[in-house]
Amino acid sequence: MTDQCASPETSADFWTDIDALWTWLDENQAHGDQEGLLLRMLKLSEEVGEVAQAVIGATSQNPRKGTTHTGEDVQSELCDVVITALVALRTLTPDTREVFTRHLARVKERSLGGS
């Protein structure tokens, strides 16, 4: 797979796409209310597990299976984690972009200081 993550800074439609995915999921959810919210949050754990599976497969850590994934598979799975997390965040607030941008600025300040 050559699927690459889009950066919020490089894709003009990034946040519109996150909203569209959230809308699609919301319109097609099998469970509503708290159960639907919980299941949407749990989806993130599933995606993180797929990252782990791809890393194990790309590094041949299972001798019985050998190499089953590529570095590009790992990248793709990481992109799925990011997308799933942002859609989950959108589920909690319509101000997804602002909440994420503020939090990123705090993490950047905490980690990088004034640079």
Side-chain angles (χ1 to χ4, degrees):
M1 258 183 219
T2 58
D3 191 27
Q4 299 293 321
C5 294
S7 163
E9 291 75 33
T10 60
S11 174
D13 297 325
F14 183 84
W15 295 105
T16 302
D17 292 344
I18 294 299
D19 266 346
L21 288 168
W22 171 79
T23 299
W24 174 75
L25 281 173
D26 217 47
E27 290 171 351
N28 293 285
Q29 65 181 343
H31 304 278
D33 299 327
Q34 291 296 84
E35 185 179 15
L37 176 65
L38 175 63
L39 291 170
R40 191 156 304 166
M41 300 305 147
L42 287 175
K43 178 69 174 163
L44 188 54
S45 292
E46 177 190 14
E47 295 298 342
V48 170
E50 291 176 8
V51 171
Q53 183 179 16
V55 169
I56 289 168
T59 57
S60 304
Q61 293 303 302
N62 184 338
R64 184 175 53 81
K65 293 183 179 179
T67 303
T68 59
H69 291 75
T70 66
E72 286 154 353
D73 292 329
V74 175
Q75 292 173 12
S76 179
E77 295 300 344
L78 285 168
C79 288
D80 286 348
V81 169
V82 171
I83 293 165
T84 302
L86 288 173
V87 170
L89 181 61
R90 174 59 183 88
T91 299
L92 297 176
T93 178
D95 300 324
T96 311
R97 181 179 190 160
E98 294 78 17
V99 169
F100 180 80
T101 301
R102 273 195 317 270
H103 188 76
L104 180 59
R106 285 192 301 268
V107 170
K108 181 180 173 186
E109 177 64 29
R110 186 175 63 232
S111 300
L112 303 175
S115 43

